[in-house]
Amino acid sequence: METRTEISSLGEFGLIKRINEGVSTQLPDTVKGIGDDAAVIDNGEDFGLLSSDFFLEGVHFDLTFFPLKHLGYKVIAAAVSDIAAMNGIPRQVIVNVALSNRFSVEAVDELYLGIKTACRDFNVDLTGGDTASSRTGLLISVSVLGRVKKDRIAYRNTAKPNDLLCVSGDLGGAYLGLQLLEREKQVFLVNPQMQPELDGKDYVIQRQLRPEARMDVVYELEEAGVIPTAMIDVSDGLASDLLHLCAQSGVGAVIFEDRLPIDDQSFLAASELNIGAITAALNGGEDYELLFTVSQSDYEKIRNNPKITFIGYMTDNKEEVVLHTKSDNRVPVTAQGWSNV
Ligand code: ADP
Ligand code: MG
């Protein structure tokens, strides 16, 4: 009998690993294939960067509370974030959309208003795409091309023991914003007269609906004369993305609970939702912050940058990626990640 293996038994990362089996790059200008935030291509003078992302209705977004304009902005920001994660500059995007007949021309205008606004904000050109009909709602895929000076590129697999671990911005907000929106949706479904109770929650809602790619941090690192020894963007959650960075670099890490940057609104939302703020910071996704390592000698150059928090350090024990808690315990960092392909 033929065997059938459920995709859920592998999970997203197991599946990518399996796809990658037996794939070897054959062209001399393919510097890096599968495995980082973007593929790296030798353009001669500099490196080209190439990355692609999917956004599917019902899987990645829920249009009952996600305005199309914001969705358009978010898909570009998320794509740009993968270029930022290579310490690169985004240049061109290609956007594919598939639409069911549920969508009007005006709805498509709204989506593209967001896409065009993001292209302007991130200084990228929308250079093409494909348009198709769909039977299952809205599907969007964004590919982005970027570039980076060869001596500035930051891979995932080059962190060194004793490097300092840094993260930009704050963590957990996007996940908590989503939980608030989901909660309001349930209330609304029960009683459509209800007004949403989202006062004072603008920051976390915005983190979910209108995230920014941290190009500002990429530029500020350059101005400070710092090249991260390794970098990844936090799209799946700090825990999951830190584990990628460590596994690929062959190092361990210690992160400090009391150093995790969490906004006041995130603490409030977490307590209202009965979710641990630390859990949200560790496992909530979609913050699109940059997680990177720097050598200790670069500490002085960025320690006063308010956008950057030092959350821990890398070790030579690759078996141990641990959270040093406020009560001085060390607990293993584990990824919740997603597994519902
Ligand atoms: P990110 O979260 O930064 O977008 P992913 O976790 O989606 O990265 O992907 C990790 C790596 O696996 C990337 O190098 C990506 O290009 C590659 N990858 C993901 N899906 C596929 C696929 N279907 N075929 C080939 N490579 C893939
Ligand atoms: Mg990424």
Side-chain angles (χ1 to χ4, degrees), residues 29-269:
D29 54 340
T30 308
V31 178
K32 176 92 194 178
I34 297 173
D36 217 303
D37 291 289
V40 182
I41 300 141
D42 193 337
N43 283 338
E45 202 172 310
D46 60 10
F47 284 144
L49 302 167
L50 181 58
S51 169
S52 194
D53 277 311
F54 245 146
F55 300 89
L56 312 182
E57 184 177 359
V59 179
H60 299 103
F61 57 88
D62 181 339
L63 289 177
T64 45
F65 55 73
F66 217 120
L68 281 164
K69 191 173 71 178
H70 290 330
L71 180 63
Y73 195 95
K74 181 170 180 171
V75 299
I76 300 298
V80 166
S81 181
D82 276 325
I83 300 297
M86 306 299 295
N87 209 24
I89 311 295
R91 305 286 295 177
Q92 286 84 16
V93 288
I94 285 181
V95 178
N96 301 326
V97 289
L99 299 144
S100 69
N101 57 12
R102 212 177 91 232
F103 294 89
S104 64
V105 173
E106 289 74 18
V108 178
D109 285 347
E110 276 295 296
L111 177 70
Y112 271 83
L113 182 60
I115 289 177
K116 290 169 191 171
T117 305
C119 285
R120 207 173 315 120
D121 282 8
F122 295 116
N123 199 24
V124 299
D125 283 337
L126 173 61
T127 53
D130 197 14
T131 310
S133 62
S134 137
R135 293 187 199 170
T136 50
L138 175 60
L139 317 173
I140 309 171
S141 134
V142 180
S143 298
V144 58
L145 201 59
R147 59 208 295 180
V148 59
K149 289 180 197 140
K150 286 184 178 175
D151 59 355
R152 292 202 59 82
I153 193 161
Y155 293 106
R156 287 181 182 180
N157 63 359
T158 42
K160 300 278 176 301
N162 302 319
D163 282 351
L164 303 173
L165 182 65
C166 312
V167 71
S168 65
D170 59 83
L171 298 170
Y175 173 78
L176 291 162
L178 178 62
Q179 299 312 308
L180 287 172
L181 289 162
E182 297 273 9
R183 185 186 69 179
E184 293 310 309
K185 178 185 166 187
Q186 295 312 321
V187 173
F188 180 80
L189 289 176
V190 174
N191 179 0
Q193 278 11 294
M194 281 291 285
Q195 290 299 311
E197 277 184 45
L198 296 172
D199 284 354
K201 304 187 168 74
D202 47 323
Y203 180 68
V204 286
I205 301 291
Q206 180 214 318
R207 294 287 287 168
Q208 170 57 220
L209 296 183
R210 203 181 188 284
E212 293 290 345
R214 297 312 302 256
M215 286 309 302
D216 56 335
V217 173
V218 171
Y219 290 121
E220 285 174 32
L221 286 172
E222 179 160 25
E223 277 160 31
V226 173
I227 301 171
T229 52
M231 185 144 69
I232 187 170
D233 67 328
V234 185
S235 51
D236 295 326
L238 174 65
S240 171
D241 291 317
L242 175 60
L243 288 170
H244 286 311
L245 203 74
C246 287
Q248 294 205 21
S249 296
V251 297
V254 179
I255 56 174
F256 295 92
E257 182 182 359
D258 61 5
R259 302 282 317 176
L260 297 181
I262 299 172
D263 188 83
D264 287 348
Q265 270 201 19
S266 298
F267 275 115
L268 280 176

Side-chain angles (χ1 to χ4, degrees), residues 5-19 21 338-341:
T5 313
E6 297 303 327
I7 289 176
S8 57
S9 70
L10 292 181
E12 178 187 6
F13 304 121
L15 187 63
I16 294 174
K17 208 167 152 209
R18 190 173 171 119
I19 291 171
E21 271 163 26
W338 89 206
S339 54
N340 59 331
V341 179

